[in-house]
Amino acid sequence: SQTIHQWPATLVQPVGSPLSLECTVEGTSNPNLYWYRQAAGRGLQLLFYSIGIDQISSEVPQNLSASRPQDRQFILSSKKLLLSDSGFYLCAWSVRTEKLFFGSGTQLSVL
Amino acid sequence: DQQVKQNSPSLSVQEGRISILNCDYTNSMFDYFLWYKKYPAEGPTFLISISSIKDKNEDGRFTVFLNKSAKHLSLHIVPSQPGDSAVYFCAASVLRGYGGSQGNLIFGKGTKLSVKP
């Protein structure tokens, strides 16, 4: 069966520090991969999606970037975090379906 | 501009009664709709979906109704249980053929359901 791993579960970072969140999927090949963010009091916002290795599309201009160095690995990064980057970050995958499967999420607090 | 709207941020229901969560959308191109359930500090989990060719889909205690002319869908939970207490997200997408969409689901802001024993 397919599983998705996302870590860390919680992260507290100072403003201006770098960020790296990692997500891996097991049990499937060529998945579509996604990064979503849920900010306080807001819905789920799509940040990036990827249909293959090194193929990244950005939905919202921001202080973040994403990379997909391997088929089942998706990384969310920032060189310098802002206060507004705080939120709950979710990785998700899908294969030939509109149904997304989400990871357990990372609660990021930028102080 | 919000394309998927959940106008009720919260809903409180007594155990055993019906919970009705509502969702409105503005984009007439949407033809596939999903409901996700989310517990605190966890990722959302898929609950139920409906294609625009249908007006009702049922799965156990959960039923989703779609009114295309009104651009409105609703999730009914009968009977409601305390374990149903969670945030429910409505999502919509545009199908893109056999290859499937890129999964660019547009989510509402969610409705927090509280089921009281």
Side-chain angles (χ1 to χ4, degrees), chain B residues 17-115:
Chain B
R17 297 291 189 97
I18 183 172
S19 295
I20 300 176
L21 297 105
N22 294 303
C23 178
D24 297 292
Y25 61 96
T26 58
N27 189 342
S28 58
M29 295 297 290
F30 288 145
D31 52 11
Y32 190 69
F33 305 88
L34 307 89
W35 284 94
Y36 281 81
K37 177 180 179 180
K38 183 182 181 300
Y39 293 115
E42 293 184 10
T45 54
F46 170 77
L47 195 56
I48 193 169
S49 63
I50 188 168
S51 165
S52 61
I53 61 174
K54 295 184 177 181
D55 54 19
K56 177 183 174 182
N57 187 25
E58 190 172 354
D59 183 3
R61 296 186 297 114
F62 303 91
T63 303
V64 56
F65 295 92
L66 176 63
N67 183 335
K68 290 185 289 294
S69 61
K71 295 191 180 66
H72 176 84
L73 65 156
S74 60
L75 174 67
H76 292 211
I77 307 174
V78 183
S80 302
Q81 300 173 355
D84 296 329
S85 298
V87 176
Y88 289 79
F89 288 99
C90 171
S93 74
V94 178
L95 291 177
R96 301 187 191 201
Y98 175 75
S101 79
Q102 293 168 336
N104 290 0
L105 297 182
I106 307 298
F107 285 86
K109 290 187 177 182
T111 296
K112 183 177 182 180
L113 174 65
S114 299
V115 180

Side-chain angles (χ1 to χ4, degrees), chain A residues 32 34 36 38 41-44 46 49 51 59 88 90 96-100 102-104, chain B residues 32 34 36 38 41-44 46 89 93 95 99-105 107-109:
Chain A
N32 295 331
Y34 310 83
Y36 278 84
Q38 183 185 13
R42 305 188 67 178
L44 297 171
L46 177 63
Y49 70 89
I51 60 172
E59 289 293 304
F88 191 58
L90 290 156
R96 295 194 302 278
T97 175
E98 298 67 36
K99 189 185 302 181
L100 294 180
F102 286 88
S104 55
Chain B
Y32 190 69
L34 307 89
Y36 281 81
K38 183 182 181 300
E42 293 184 10
F46 170 77
F89 288 99
S93 74
L95 291 177
S101 79
Q102 293 168 336
N104 290 0
L105 297 182
F107 285 86
K109 290 187 177 182

Side-chain angles (χ1 to χ4, degrees), chain A residues 5-13 18-24 34-37 47 64-69 73-78 81 85 87-91 105-109:
Chain A
H5 302 279
Q6 185 180 344
W7 67 93
T10 59
L11 190 61
V12 180
Q13 292 284 97
L19 172 73
S20 181
L21 301 180
E22 190 163 342
C23 171
T24 58
Y34 310 83
W35 279 110
Y36 278 84
R37 176 173 63 196
L47 302 176
L64 303 168
S65 62
S67 61
R68 184 171 178 175
Q73 183 185 29
F74 207 23
I75 298 171
L76 182 70
S77 304
S78 174
L81 283 169
D85 291 325
F88 191 58
Y89 288 82
L90 290 156
C91 181
T106 296
Q107 183 63 53
L108 172 66
S109 299

